[in-house]
């Protein structure tokens, strides 16, 4: 279980890391969000708004890593614009930032979720990166997961929309099979999800 934070300044990262250390909450890692393409986020210099400032990403990552005993990761996109990939220009620095791994979403900030993810670029960066790489983008079938693991130099993949659309995708990947799930089974999964949310939050006023 991980926490994700969007943070533009090292001192804020330090404060967040220390607060989480002292909170008593159980979590396994903290991820620095450098990949959200939404303009209302990017305009504050966080999310994918950090991609043009790798030194800033490094400074915030180092501060966060120094403030927590848990591993720190970052999630990025390929660059600001389609055809303007930039990660390869600075990936050689990232092993000095105190991060355990990085996740690359194979789209630019401009693309958001349109067109297909550029897995060839993910593979190039994963091959050259000095730390483990997690790939992300367009994994909707267990066969796609397996293909990326075999062909694109990644240690694993991050699942996003795939598990929102198919919560049973994790089972498909684990068991390496297509699960032709019935409508009743789908509804049971939805009921379990809502029930777990109510148990955790105690009300439907916070997102359910």
């Amino acid at each position: 279980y991980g926490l994700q934070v969007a943070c533009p300044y090292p001192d804020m990262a330090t404060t967040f890391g220390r607060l989480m250390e002292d909170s008593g909450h159980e979590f396994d890692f903290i991820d620095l969000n450098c990949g959200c393409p939404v303009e209302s986020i990017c305009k504050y210099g966080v999310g994918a708004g950090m991609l043009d400032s790798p030194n800033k990403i490094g400074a915030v990552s180092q501060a966060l890593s120094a403030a927590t005993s848990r591993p720190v990761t970052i999630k990025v996109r390929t660059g600001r614009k389609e055809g303007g990939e930039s990660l390869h220009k600075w990936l050689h620095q990232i092993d000095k930032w105190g991060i355990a791994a990085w996740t690359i979403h194979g789209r630019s900030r401009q693309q958001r979720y349109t067109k297909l993810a550029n897995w060839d670029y993910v593979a190039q960066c994963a091959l050259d990166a000095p730390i483990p790489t997690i790939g992300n983008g367009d994994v909707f079938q267990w066969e796609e997961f397996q293909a990326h693991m075999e062909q694109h130099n990644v240690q694993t993949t991050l699942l996003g929309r795939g598990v929102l659309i198919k919560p049973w995708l994790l089972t498909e990947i684990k068991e390496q099979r297509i699960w032709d799930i019935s409508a009743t089974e789908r509804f049971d999964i939805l009921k379990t999800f809502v029930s777990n949310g109510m148990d955790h939050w105690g009300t439907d006023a916070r997102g359910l």
Side-chain angles (χ1 to χ4, degrees):
Y1 177 74
L3 307 176
Q4 188 178 66
V5 60
C7 182
Y9 304 115
D11 59 336
M12 292 176 63
T14 297
T15 299
F16 176 81
R18 290 174 178 170
L19 284 172
M20 291 300 99
E21 282 290 300
D22 297 339
S23 68
H25 293 305
E26 295 183 7
F27 60 96
D28 299 304
F29 66 95
I30 300 177
D31 183 70
L32 178 63
N33 183 341
C34 307
C36 178
V38 178
E39 186 57 33
S40 60
I41 299 297
C42 293
K43 70 179 182 180
Y44 293 108
V46 294
M50 300 179 77
L51 291 175
D52 291 334
S53 304
N55 290 337
K56 183 178 181 181
I57 298 175
V60 174
S61 298
Q62 287 177 312
L64 186 57
S65 179
T68 179
S69 60
R70 272 77 159 191
V72 171
T73 61
I74 62 173
K75 184 174 186 289
V76 299
R77 284 177 173 251
T78 58
R80 174 181 283 272
K81 296 181 179 180
E82 183 179 5
E85 293 83 4
S86 60
L87 303 182
H88 62 281
K89 299 177 182 178
W90 49 264
L91 60 77
H92 63 281
Q93 307 175 43
I94 60 179
D95 60 333
K96 301 177 179 65
W97 294 352
I99 57 177
W102 68 333
T103 299
I104 304 175
H105 184 149
R107 291 184 175 87
S108 68
R109 168 183 168 181
Q110 182 186 53
Q111 285 178 280
R112 296 189 64 163
Y113 300 98
T114 62
K115 301 185 178 180
L116 294 176
N118 185 350
W119 275 90
D120 289 338
Y121 186 68
V122 173
Q124 174 193 331
C125 291
L127 184 63
D128 296 336
I131 63 173
T133 299
I134 302 165
N136 177 229
D138 304 330
V139 180
F140 299 101
Q141 308 287 343
W142 80 264
E143 297 98 330
E144 294 167 339
F145 170 87
Q146 194 65 34
H148 293 318
M149 294 292 291
E150 294 173 356
Q151 302 169 18
H152 293 121
N153 307 315
V154 294
Q155 274 62 54
T156 189
T157 71
L158 177 70
L159 306 177
R161 290 175 299 156
V163 290
L164 293 177
I165 296 169
K166 291 170 56 178
W168 54 93
L169 177 59
L170 294 167
T171 300
E172 290 189 347
I173 290 172
K174 182 179 180 180
E175 299 180 1
Q176 297 189 351
R177 67 181 178 93
I178 296 295
W179 187 4
D180 187 16
I181 190 168
S182 69
T184 300
E185 289 172 311
R186 295 181 190 210
F187 189 58
D188 286 341
I189 289 173
L190 181 59
K191 287 192 294 184
T192 300
F193 172 77
V194 172
S195 177
N196 289 341
M198 291 294 289
D199 288 343
H200 182 76
W201 284 290
T203 174
D204 61 2
R206 295 179 60 187
L208 293 182

